[in-house]
């Protein structure tokens, strides 16, 4: 294995002190142009790359922001990461993106990694419903912002969407179209987003004078297309099959749509479907999918900006904020047939 080139090697090759090399790298205007050119030539010739970790140790500040999300296979979180990365880049920082896969154990491991790396701060969509991972991470004193989750019971900043309002938008739309029996393909019960969207759905039913029995819940262990297909198969097996389905995200909805297509069930004539997130694939589905839109890119950017504000503020002067954005219903063909 080739030995890495250090700053002393550059100094030796250029015939200058280590301090002069450091000045060329960090304060080039303080070094005479001839000396600067000689040092730069040695850097190029030897292939020297400065150690960012060593620089961070000296400066006491990292140029890396951590981002830990539930599922990078979900385009919603890809868009969220894109917004965070854009805001971080504008501030001269990079983003380390990690995927908990909706697993509390993996989340704990990544949070430990962020602590070891002493990242500038962390953007986190929690997978652990107990809050133990957050409590353990808080002891390290690294700022963090909750994303796609309201900071209930904590003092940290958060950026989220009003999922109760989003669930109500989806089911109110279906009720207005004449549906009185609706399935909710819900995802893991431990996720706040899943519970809030269900609460909104029940609120919309109550507004219409319908009881909770009008909502038939089909829980899934994951929030992906395969789980949606499985829920669709269970839905097909019901003797009193609902006439509409509200899914906790678009991947579940696309899975349900696939199951219906395979079984010859016509969407929306035989079954209306509404998803959540409004990912790019929603509009491009075989039957364009009605969905509740979340501004994912905006959420990521706002969360990164809040984190940057906190890391730049003098000790004790940052005021934590909870930003709650409003969802929007985007109506497409998957829910348009009247009953």
């Amino acid at each position: 294995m080739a030995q890495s080139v250090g700053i002393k090697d550059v100094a030796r090759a250029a015939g200058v002190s280590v301090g002069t090399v450091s000045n060329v790298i960090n304060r080039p205007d303080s070094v005479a142009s001839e000396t600067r050119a000689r040092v730069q030539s040695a850097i190029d010739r030897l292939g020297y790359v400065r150690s960012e970790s060593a620089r961070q140790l000296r400066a006491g500040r990292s140029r890396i922001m951590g981002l830990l999300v539930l599922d990078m296979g979900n385009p919603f979180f890809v868009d969220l990461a894109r917004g965070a990365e854009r805001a971080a880049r504008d501030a001269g920082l990079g983003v380390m993106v990690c995927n908990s896969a909706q697993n509390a154990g993996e989340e704990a491991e990544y949070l430990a990694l962020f602590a070891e790396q002493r990242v500038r701060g962390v953007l986190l969509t929690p997978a652990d419903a107990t809050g133990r991972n957050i409590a353990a991470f808080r002891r390290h004193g690294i700022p963090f912002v909750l994303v796609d989750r309201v900071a209930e019971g904590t003092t940290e900043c958060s950026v989220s969407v009003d999922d109760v309002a989003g669930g109500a938008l989806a089911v109110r739309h279906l009720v207005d179209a004449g549906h009185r029996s609706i399935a909710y393909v819900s995802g893991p019960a431990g996720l706040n987003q899943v519970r809030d969207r269900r609460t909104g759905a029940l609120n919309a039913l109550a507004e219409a004078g319908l009881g909770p029995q009008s909502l038939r819940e089909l829980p899934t262990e994951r929030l992906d297309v395969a789980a949606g297909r499985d829920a669709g198969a269970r839905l097909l097996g019901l003797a009193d099959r609902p006439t509409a389905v509200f899914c906790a995200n678009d991947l579940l909805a696309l899975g349900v749509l696939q199951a219906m297509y395979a079984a010859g069930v016509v969407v929306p004539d035989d079954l209306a479907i509404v998803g959540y997130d409004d990912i790019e694939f929603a509009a491009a589905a075989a039957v364009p999918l009605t969905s509740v839109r979340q501004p994912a890119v905006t959420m990521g950017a706002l969360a990164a900006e809040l984190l940057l504000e906190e890391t730049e503020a003098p000790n004790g002067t940052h005021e934590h904020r909870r930003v709650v954005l409003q969802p929007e219903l985007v109506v497409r063909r998957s829910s348009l047939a009247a009953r």
Side-chain angles (χ1 to χ4, degrees):
M1 181 182 292
Q3 187 173 356
S4 61
V5 175
I7 193 170
K8 291 181 179 178
D9 300 311
V10 174
R12 189 179 304 112
V16 298
S17 68
V18 169
T20 299
V21 177
S22 178
N23 285 337
V24 169
I25 295 170
N26 298 297
R27 295 179 295 278
D29 292 341
S30 67
V31 182
S33 58
E34 182 180 341
T35 303
R36 189 166 65 238
R38 191 164 74 251
V39 171
Q40 188 59 55
S41 176
I43 288 173
D44 295 341
R45 186 170 68 256
L46 296 174
Y48 169 75
V49 178
R50 71 175 178 177
S51 170
E52 178 61 18
S53 59
R55 189 200 68 80
Q56 289 175 188
L57 283 172
R58 290 191 299 272
R61 290 175 66 82
S62 171
R63 293 180 57 244
I64 298 297
M65 177 187 298
L67 171 62
L68 181 55
V69 299
L70 293 176
D71 181 11
M72 281 306 294
N74 186 337
F76 167 77
F77 289 112
V78 174
D79 287 343
L80 191 150
R82 189 155 51 90
E85 189 274 336
R86 185 182 302 165
R89 186 179 63 232
D90 289 345
L93 303 181
V95 179
M96 180 192 299
V97 181
C98 298
N99 176 27
S100 71
Q102 302 173 41
N103 183 289
E106 293 190 31
E107 176 182 82
E109 291 175 4
Y110 278 123
L111 288 174
L113 175 64
F114 289 152
E116 289 172 6
Q117 296 296 317
R118 301 303 300 175
V119 296
R120 177 76 64 93
V122 174
L123 307 179
L124 171 64
T125 303
D128 176 25
T130 69
R132 285 192 290 265
N133 287 343
I134 289 177
F137 184 71
R138 189 181 286 113
R139 293 197 295 267
H140 297 290
I142 298 174
F144 64 92
V145 174
L146 299 182
V147 191
D148 194 32
R149 166 86 174 269
V150 176
E152 297 172 347
T154 72
T155 58
E156 281 76 26
C157 290
S158 65
V159 179
S160 62
V161 165
D162 188 339
D163 283 318
V164 174
L169 282 175
V171 172
R172 191 178 296 123
H173 167 68
L174 292 171
V175 169
D176 289 346
H179 298 281
R180 295 297 180 266
S181 177
I182 300 168
Y184 176 43
V185 178
S186 60
L191 294 179
N192 282 24
Q193 299 92 324
V194 165
R195 295 197 299 269
D196 286 348
R197 291 165 197 178
R198 180 179 184 273
T199 297
L202 291 172
N203 289 348
L205 290 173
E207 290 171 7
L210 301 171
Q213 72 278 0
S214 296
L215 191 71
R216 187 80 166 268
E217 187 164 0
L218 297 173
T220 63
E221 293 184 358
R222 300 187 63 79
L223 290 163
D224 55 24
V225 174
R229 284 196 298 267
D230 174 72
R234 283 184 280 151
L235 184 65
L236 289 167
L238 296 177
D240 54 342
R241 192 170 73 208
T243 60
V245 182
F246 167 44
C247 298
N249 76 358
D250 286 341
L251 296 183
L252 290 172
L254 292 172
V256 171
L257 180 61
Q258 288 179 7
M260 296 305 110
Y261 181 82
V265 175
V266 179
V267 176
D269 296 351
D270 300 328
L271 184 78
I273 302 176
V274 176
Y276 205 104
D277 289 339
D278 195 34
I279 62 176
E280 184 177 355
F281 298 131
V287 180
L289 186 65
T290 294
S291 184
V292 178
R293 176 178 293 165
Q294 296 199 87
V297 174
T298 300
M299 289 174 67
L302 284 174
E305 289 166 6
L306 285 175
L307 187 59
L308 289 166
E309 286 179 13
E310 182 171 359
T311 61
E312 295 296 334
N315 288 339
T317 62
H318 175 74
E319 294 186 6
H320 293 297
R321 287 188 285 151
R322 295 181 180 180
V323 178
V324 180
L325 304 174
Q326 291 304 307
E328 173 190 358
L329 182 69
V330 180
V331 178
R332 300 190 181 94
R333 191 156 60 89
S334 71
S335 65
L336 284 180
R339 303 302 300 177

